[in-house]
Amino acid sequence: MKTNTIKYIIFSGFLLLMIACSTKRNTWLSRNSHALSTKDNILYNGGIALDKGVVEVKAQNKDNFWEILPVERMQISDQSLMPGQAKNANFERAEGKATKAIQKHSMNIGGSEKNPQMDEAYLMLGQARYYDQRFVPALDAFNYVLNKSPNSNKIYIVKIWREKTNMRLDNDALAVNNLRKLLKEIKFKDQIFADANATLAQAFINLEEKDSAIAKLKIAKEFTKSNEEVSRYNYILGQLYEKMGYKDSAYASYQSVIDMHRKAAKSYVIHAHARQAAQFDYVKGDTTAFLKKYKDLVEDREDRPHLDVLHHQLAIFREKTNNLNGAKKEYNLSLKKKTADSYLIASNYRNLADIYFIESKFVKAGNYYDSTLVNLKPRTREFNLIKKKRENLDDVIKYEAIAQTNDSIISLYSMSTSDRTAYFEKYIVRLKKEDEAKKKLAEKEAKIKENKERNSGNIESKEGFSSDLEAKKSKVSQMEMSASAVNSGGSGSVFYFYNSTTVSYGKIQFAKTWGKRKLQDNWRVASLSDKGIDDGKDSTTKEKEDSKDATTLDERYTPEFYTKQIPDSQTLIDSLSKERNFANYQLGVIYKEKFKEYKLGVERFEKLLGDNPEERLVLPALYNLYKLYEILNKEKAEAIKSSIVLQYPNSRYAQILLNPASEVEESSDSPNSVYQNLYKQYQNGEYKTVLTATEDAINRFTGDEIVPKLELLKANISGKLGGLSEYRNALNYVALNYPNVEEGKKAEKLIAVDLPKLEALQLSKAPSKNWKILYSTKDFDDVPTKKLRETIQKFIKDRNLTKLTVSLDIYTMTDNFVVIHGMSSQDLANGVASVLKEFKEYKVPQTAILITTENYTIVQVKKNLEEYLTGDLPETAAQPNWDGTLEKAPQPQQEAPPQQQQQQQQQSAKNQEQQRDLQQNTKGNNPPSDGDQFGPPPAPQEKSGKKG
């Protein structure tokens, strides 16, 4: 009986267990059984992993205090992941646990979730995906809870997380609407209420609605229980007030962060001090109190990790109070502190560059601008502005280097032999001191390195060994230890001879112990015999040998090493002098026109005039000096004016000075006349001639107002002959060197607007109604080309093809084309080329290139004929709109009425018949009288203007 009872009990228990394990039965036992298994086993472990992951995310977050901080501490990474790859193992584990709970214990019955723990499982799943930055799958998880468990006690939390996810997907307006509804639903003002307001504030920040964001952040700050959140919200409030111009409110919010002391993270406190400093009135404020406050902050041990920020702010204070030397010192101190804030580093370099720019130390400023660009994000507005400013310094750096170098060489050349020797002897004394300091530093570093290795057990102390044998054993064992460490991949030791510092130190120590020894067998014994030989020599001989050895060792310590490098050719010195004078002239113009540094401009022009410049630079330099002194010193301006009028009465500058309000009569040799003649030749297509003449005119009229026009003309010709790359470089030169005149602004506009359109042009196989035949040639006047032109003209005359025209087009400086225009289809072009090649009365030996008008225009613009000849072209290519500067593409025609379509078909058949006749006709036969198959001759801009 008892046995049967036990059997019944076991069977009933097993039956109840099976019923409880079912996810398809909505019973009290099933719900609670699955809820218990979900909560106390799977979700517990998943929750631990999720919490660890969140801690890691917050620890890895690097706030950018230069912008408004996000409410949530989470760094969004641009790194793309492979499918199935997770950024954080903890979130992967949490997602796995949540997925396992859902798969095993979900009770989706009748369209709703019956397991009360499934809302937490899906919430964990969504949070893990959210922190793993997979926002769309996270949104699916949150929406599942909202759809299947609308009565969950986690419903408010899920709604907040859903809106956070919507914001990450740039659905800020949707998040605002949903969060406003949620705030009306929440009855208790607790942490959930604070989180909802904080999330809504972030949505308003994203939408640039700062006043609404401030209101919600205040509520979140009041009801949150986290000190970290309170400090962060206060700091964000200060940033928002500052952006809106409410300086007092911003200062108060930052002070709230500071007053929290250790309850707030140190980074918030330090940056709050920094932002308060930005509000400081450097004219009326208490500078003594400011400096005392920052002195205390710098000396506080707890602030050491943030000294970069403090020194940067002190540097700004020094700069604002006109203590530029103090500012430079503080900026350099900020740079010495290792920081991960790349924008802070860039700001330090940028501000240092600005200081050196103000001090007119343009070369040094350029170096600091280079360092700024390295640390700034490219393709930002600030990056582009600084890059442009740096490019403006290129010419200054270039010409300053030329002027200083050449001036030094010329000065040394003009010295007597004794003066040169004395000069270099002083330099050698200074050089020896510097080398000795470097040597001591190297010894010190080597000693420190050796001590570190000895302390770490990698080098045994050699002290206490009495014999050379023991020292050798020590060195051998030491080398074996190093070799074994290297072979085993250990990082604690490096082979002695792999380290240049320790090798140099070893050489120094060897020389101190053994002196100078030759590399030979028995070097110790050999040293004794050498010593004996040396003893037999008198002291004078030894000194001479030592002197000889010293000279052999380092020639830099002898004046002859330098004097022999000074050029001794007067011709070379004259060329250096001309180069220096031109560099000084250019510097004067740049300082005057580009940087408005009038005093520096005066210095350069006066130095130029004092260096006996060539005649072409004297008048422009005097005229520019006159213009500068009109601003700086009226009396000197009048003196220079009188000098120009008296010494150069027939010059154009004298006429301008005597008649500033009237038009100076133009001669055929005046700058404007020369430019007009060159421009006419340019319009006629004489590019090669004009390019050489333009360069001569630029050199001739250096300093004249016509030069920017000539430079822009030269840029256009460079583009015609060299392609877009040379065109961009030439335009960039004009834009940078003449930014304040019309030509410089026009060049800048061409770079920004027109060049991208030209660069977007692409060759294609698109159908066309305009075809050309090209014959390549090097010289239009050589015998084969003349014969080719005569043959083509004969062909056109024989067949009465009046619609065909011939032009001589320049392609590059070395290559040209003889071009036949006027064919309306590729078949017709093929027919013409075939007749010219195969018929005995023509027999053109040159290879014909068939090309559409559209492709020919692109080839002339981009100089990419080789690409066209490969034939690997797309069927169609999107082309920019033509603006009249290039040959226009054919306009699409409207569909013709049925009657016209019939006429067109008849005309097409007639054209085909005429094409056959063209190939069959021999010399003397009249071609078809109707030439309508040939379209109107195009007129490309690249055409030279020479008719065949």
Side-chain angles (χ1 to χ4, degrees):
M1 183 68 181
K2 288 183 179 180
T3 302
N4 293 334
T5 303
I6 293 172
K7 287 181 180 179
Y8 287 133
I9 292 172
I10 292 173
F11 178 76
S12 300
F14 179 75
L15 184 62
L16 289 171
L17 182 62
M18 291 295 294
I19 294 171
C21 290
S22 175
T23 58
K24 302 299 182 183
R25 296 175 62 85
N26 183 18
T27 62
W28 179 89
L29 186 59
S30 294
R31 290 195 301 271
N32 287 278
S33 173
H34 285 288
L36 185 64
S37 300
T38 304
K39 178 180 179 182
D40 291 339
N41 183 11
I42 305 174
L43 292 187
Y44 174 78
N45 293 317
I48 292 175
L50 182 65
D51 292 340
K52 287 182 179 179
V54 173
V55 170
E56 289 181 9
V57 165
K58 291 184 177 180
Q60 293 170 0
N61 179 65
K62 295 178 182 178
D63 285 320
N64 181 7
F65 287 93
W66 303 95
E67 299 176 356
I68 296 177
L69 294 182
V71 170
E72 185 180 28
R73 289 176 58 193
M74 177 176 165
Q75 197 89 20
I76 298 298
S77 173
D78 296 331
Q79 182 182 1
S80 58
L81 297 177
M82 298 298 291
Q85 185 181 2
K87 295 185 177 181
N88 189 304
N90 287 311
F91 296 135
E92 186 178 15
R93 177 177 172 77
E95 183 177 0
K97 291 294 183 182
T99 304
K100 181 179 179 180
I102 293 167
Q103 290 174 344
K104 287 191 173 184
H105 302 289
S106 177
M107 299 177 64
N108 188 359
I109 301 172
S112 62
E113 183 59 56
K114 304 304 180 182
N115 185 344
Q117 289 296 318
M118 278 301 102
D119 54 353
E120 294 193 21
Y122 275 100
L123 176 60
M124 182 184 295
L125 179 64
Q127 289 174 326
R129 290 173 174 176
Y130 176 89
Y131 282 118
D132 213 32
Q133 299 181 24
R134 292 183 290 121
F135 301 117
V136 174
L139 192 62
D140 290 338
F142 298 135
N143 283 330
Y144 183 89
V145 179
L146 298 176
N147 294 330
K148 301 297 182 179
S149 305
N151 298 321
S152 169
N153 59 348
K154 302 288 184 182
I155 196 68
Y156 295 154
I157 298 175
V158 173
K159 286 184 177 181
I160 293 171
W161 278 95
R162 182 186 67 176
E163 304 319 319
K164 287 168 70 174
T165 309
N166 275 326
M167 287 190 294
R168 296 293 184 184
L169 296 171
D170 295 329
N171 297 323
D172 298 300
L174 176 63
V176 168
N177 292 332
N178 292 337
L179 286 168
R180 280 175 170 165
K181 295 176 183 177
L182 175 61
L183 288 173
K184 293 178 182 178
E185 298 175 9
I186 298 176
K187 298 178 181 179
F188 301 102
K189 296 184 177 180
D190 51 7
Q191 185 64 45
I192 295 176
F193 183 72
D195 291 343
N197 279 284
T199 306
L200 182 55
Q202 182 63 63
F204 282 129
I205 291 172
N206 295 344
L207 294 171
E208 297 290 333
E209 298 178 17
K210 297 182 180 64
D211 49 353
S212 300
I214 288 172
K216 296 303 176 183
L217 266 183
K218 285 181 177 179
I219 298 173
K221 180 187 71 172
E222 182 180 353
F223 290 100
T224 185
K225 298 176 182 178
S226 168
N227 286 327
E228 196 277 334
E229 289 182 357
V230 172
S231 60
R232 190 175 184 86
Y233 295 165
N234 273 322
Y235 189 86
I236 297 172
L237 281 170
Q239 289 181 307
L240 292 171
Y241 282 129
E242 194 174 351
K243 287 284 186 182
M244 295 177 70
Y246 302 145
K247 293 186 178 181
D248 293 339
S249 299
Y251 192 95
S253 294
Y254 292 134
Q255 189 62 43
S256 298
V257 178
I258 296 169
D259 292 341
M260 292 182 69
H261 302 293
R262 287 187 174 85
K263 293 181 181 179
K266 202 65 178 178
S267 57
Y268 297 142
V269 175
I270 294 298
H271 282 90
H273 281 297
R275 295 318 306 160
Q276 280 188 339
Q279 313 291 329
F280 183 74
D281 189 340
Y282 296 99
V283 179
K284 300 178 181 179
D286 189 349
T287 56
T288 305
F290 181 95
L291 289 174
K292 184 180 182 303
K293 171 185 175 181
Y294 267 83
K295 181 182 178 182
D296 294 339
L297 289 171
V298 170
E299 292 176 352
D300 190 342
R301 292 177 62 88
E302 294 182 1
D303 296 339
R304 287 184 179 179
H306 306 283
L307 284 176
D308 52 343
V309 178
L310 296 175
H311 283 300
H312 176 80
Q313 208 60 47
L314 272 172
I316 293 175
F317 173 82
R318 301 290 186 192
E319 187 177 354
K320 295 290 186 181
T321 52
N322 295 320
N323 183 0
L324 297 184
N325 289 330
K328 287 188 280 189
K329 179 182 177 182
E330 294 294 342
Y331 282 129
N332 284 315
L333 284 173
S334 178
L335 287 169
K336 285 181 180 179
K337 307 300 176 185
K338 302 300 180 183
T339 177
D341 190 345
S342 60
Y343 189 79
L344 178 62
I345 297 172
S347 298
N348 287 325
Y349 282 125
R350 180 199 61 217
N351 294 351
L352 280 168
D354 289 341
I355 291 173
Y356 285 116
F357 190 90
I358 292 169
E359 293 177 344
S360 302
K361 297 178 181 178
F362 297 112
V363 176
K364 206 163 189 177
N367 295 334
Y368 278 104
Y369 281 131
D370 287 336
S371 299
T372 305
L373 293 172
V374 170
N375 290 281
L376 278 179
K377 291 182 179 179
R379 298 181 182 177
T380 59
R381 179 178 296 179
E382 185 176 12
F383 180 90
N384 292 331
L385 289 173
I386 293 177
K387 184 179 179 183
K388 184 176 180 181
K389 198 170 187 179
R390 173 62 184 84
E391 288 173 347
N392 286 337
L393 290 172
D394 280 342
D395 288 334
V396 175
I397 295 170
K398 170 188 171 184
Y399 289 121
E400 282 286 1
I402 292 172
Q404 291 176 12
T405 303
N406 291 11
D407 204 41
S408 299
I409 295 172
I410 294 169
S411 298
L412 289 170
Y413 175 81
S414 61
M415 287 182 182
S416 64
T417 305
S418 59
D419 289 341
R420 287 183 196 172
T421 304
Y423 175 83
F424 285 118
E425 284 176 348
K426 290 181 181 178
Y427 172 75
I428 289 168
V429 170
R430 188 168 69 251
L431 181 64
K432 285 181 177 179
K433 289 181 180 179
E434 292 176 357
D435 288 350
E436 187 65 27
K438 291 178 182 178
K439 181 179 177 181
K440 289 180 179 178
L441 181 61
E443 290 180 6
K444 183 179 178 181
E445 289 179 352
K447 193 70 176 176
I448 292 171
K449 177 77 173 176
E450 183 182 357
N451 290 336
K452 285 182 178 179
E453 291 181 350
R454 182 180 290 113
N455 292 334
S456 62
N458 294 324
I459 296 179
E460 295 181 2
S461 177
K462 294 191 286 287
E463 296 178 3
F465 289 96
S466 58
S467 67
D468 293 334
L469 180 60
E470 290 173 328
K472 287 182 179 179
K473 289 180 178 178
S474 173
K475 290 180 180 178
V476 170
S477 63
Q478 191 182 105
M479 292 172 64
E480 287 175 351
M481 288 171 60
S482 299
S484 63
V486 171
N487 293 333
S488 61
S491 59
S493 176
V494 179
F495 183 49
Y496 178 89
F497 291 102
Y498 291 169
N499 191 316
S500 59
T501 305
T502 55
V503 169
S504 62
Y505 175 71
K507 289 180 179 179
I508 294 168
Q509 292 298 109
F510 182 88
K512 285 181 178 179
T513 305
W514 299 102
K516 185 181 177 184
R517 299 299 173 97
K518 294 181 180 178
L519 182 59
Q520 59 185 12
D521 294 336
N522 301 320
W523 58 271
R524 290 190 183 184
V525 178
S527 67
L528 292 174
S529 61
D530 290 343
K531 185 175 181 182
I533 294 170
D534 290 344
D535 289 341
K537 296 179 182 179
D538 57 12
S539 60
T540 306
T541 307
K542 284 185 178 181
E543 287 178 4
K544 289 181 179 179
E545 289 180 357
D546 292 342
S547 175
K548 185 179 180 181
D549 290 342
T551 305
T552 305
L553 283 174
D554 198 340
E555 290 183 337
R556 297 180 306 128
Y557 296 156
T558 61
E560 291 77 13
F561 175 75
Y562 302 99
T563 55
K564 68 182 181 182
Q565 297 183 45
I566 299 173
D568 55 2
S569 169
Q570 185 61 46
T571 305
L572 180 57
I573 293 298
D574 290 342
S575 67
L576 291 175
S577 178
K578 287 182 180 180
E579 193 177 23
R580 175 200 61 187
N581 292 339
F582 183 74
N584 280 324
Y585 178 81
Q586 290 293 340
L587 286 169
V589 172
I590 291 169
Y591 290 145
K592 170 178 171 266
E593 299 291 342
K594 191 180 291 186
F595 298 126
K596 308 301 180 186
E597 292 287 342
Y598 301 129
K599 291 183 179 179
L600 284 174
V602 167
E603 289 177 10
R604 287 299 173 182
F605 286 126
E606 287 185 342
K607 184 172 185 346
L608 168 66
L609 293 171
D611 287 335
N612 191 25
E614 52 268 39
E615 189 65 28
R616 72 184 182 94
L617 295 177
V618 174
L619 261 177
L622 283 171
Y623 183 75
N624 277 294
L625 262 181
Y626 165 75
K627 287 291 187 181
L628 288 168
Y629 276 131
E630 270 194 324
I631 300 170
L632 300 175
N633 191 324
K634 296 287 186 181
E635 294 180 2
K636 288 188 176 182
E638 286 299 320
I640 293 174
K641 177 181 177 181
S642 300
S643 176
I644 293 173
V645 172
L646 290 173
Q647 296 180 27
Y648 308 95
N650 298 323
S651 68
R652 185 169 178 272
Y653 293 102
Q655 295 177 41
I656 293 172
L657 293 174
L658 291 173
N659 304 290
S662 62
E663 291 289 333
V664 178
E665 185 178 353
E666 295 286 349
S667 67
S668 60
D669 202 33
S670 67
N672 282 331
S673 297
V674 170
Y675 173 76
Q676 293 296 335
N677 291 332
L678 289 174
Y679 192 74
K680 286 179 182 177
Q681 289 178 285
Y682 166 77
Q683 288 180 318
N684 291 332
E686 301 173 27
Y687 303 136
K688 298 177 184 179
T689 305
V690 175
L691 181 62
T692 305
T694 303
E695 290 174 346
D696 293 340
I698 290 171
N699 292 329
R700 178 182 172 192
F701 299 119
T702 301
D704 195 275
E705 295 176 356
I706 204 67
V707 171
K709 292 181 181 294
L710 292 169
E711 289 285 4
L712 186 58
L713 178 61
K714 179 183 173 183
N716 287 330
I717 300 170
S718 299
K720 296 282 188 185
L721 297 176
L724 292 183
S725 177
E726 290 193 21
Y727 190 41
R728 176 178 288 278
N729 292 337
L731 286 176
N732 197 48
Y733 178 85
V734 178
L736 291 176
N737 284 280
Y738 309 100
N740 300 319
V741 298
E742 181 183 353
E743 287 73 24
K745 295 173 182 176
K746 185 176 181 181
E748 186 131 9
K749 183 180 178 183
L750 287 170
I751 293 171
V753 179
D754 294 72
L755 262 180
K757 290 182 180 179
L758 295 176
E759 288 170 347
L761 293 171
Q762 292 184 11
L763 298 168
S764 70
K765 297 179 181 177
S768 174
K769 295 184 178 180
N770 247 323
W771 283 79
K772 304 180 188 298
I773 300 175
L774 313 181
Y775 293 98
S776 182
T777 180
K778 297 290 184 182
D779 185 0
F780 289 132
D781 295 324
D782 62 10
V783 174
T785 305
K786 286 182 178 179
K787 184 178 180 181
L788 171 66
R789 292 160 57 188
E790 293 171 357
T791 303
I792 294 173
Q793 292 292 355
K794 183 177 184 300
F795 165 77
I796 294 173
K797 184 177 180 181
D798 289 347
R799 282 156 174 72
N800 195 24
L801 302 176
T802 57
K803 295 294 184 179
L804 293 185
T805 59
V806 182
S807 69
L808 307 181
D809 292 6
I810 295 174
Y811 182 55
T812 64
M813 285 293 292
T814 57
D815 297 316
N816 309 295
F817 294 130
V818 176
V819 187
I820 304 175
H821 309 267
M823 287 145 287
S824 59
S825 70
Q826 185 176 9
D827 291 337
L828 290 175
N830 267 320
V832 171
S834 178
V835 170
L836 287 172
K837 181 179 180 180
E838 296 174 1
F839 279 38
K840 62 181 179 180
E841 61 266 34
Y842 307 121
K843 285 293 181 181
V844 172
Q846 289 91 336
T847 302
I849 302 172
L850 277 61
I851 189 170
T852 65
T853 296
E854 295 79 15
N855 282 339
Y856 181 61
T857 302
I858 297 169
V859 165
Q860 281 284 13
V861 170
K862 304 182 82 170
K863 308 302 177 189
N864 57 348
L865 180 64
E866 292 79 8
E867 179 185 347
Y868 175 79
L869 294 177
T870 60
D872 187 17
L873 306 178
E875 293 298 326
T876 57
Q879 306 293 348
N881 294 328
W882 303 98
D883 57 2
T885 58
L886 298 171
E887 185 175 358
K888 293 188 177 182
Q891 299 293 330
Q893 297 181 357
Q894 295 182 354
E895 186 177 356
Q899 184 178 0
Q900 293 183 9
Q901 288 182 357
Q902 184 177 2
Q903 294 176 356
Q904 288 176 357
Q905 292 174 358
Q906 295 174 356
Q907 183 66 35
S908 177
K910 185 177 180 181
N911 288 344
Q912 293 177 2
E913 182 180 354
Q914 289 170 351
Q915 184 182 349
R916 288 193 298 270
D917 293 341
L918 176 65
Q919 297 177 351
Q920 295 172 0
N921 281 339
T922 58
K923 184 177 179 180
N925 290 343
N926 291 327
S929 60
D930 193 344
D932 292 341
Q933 70 270 26
F934 298 104
Q941 291 292 317
E942 290 74 19
K943 193 167 67 171
S944 71
K946 296 183 180 180
K947 296 294 181 181

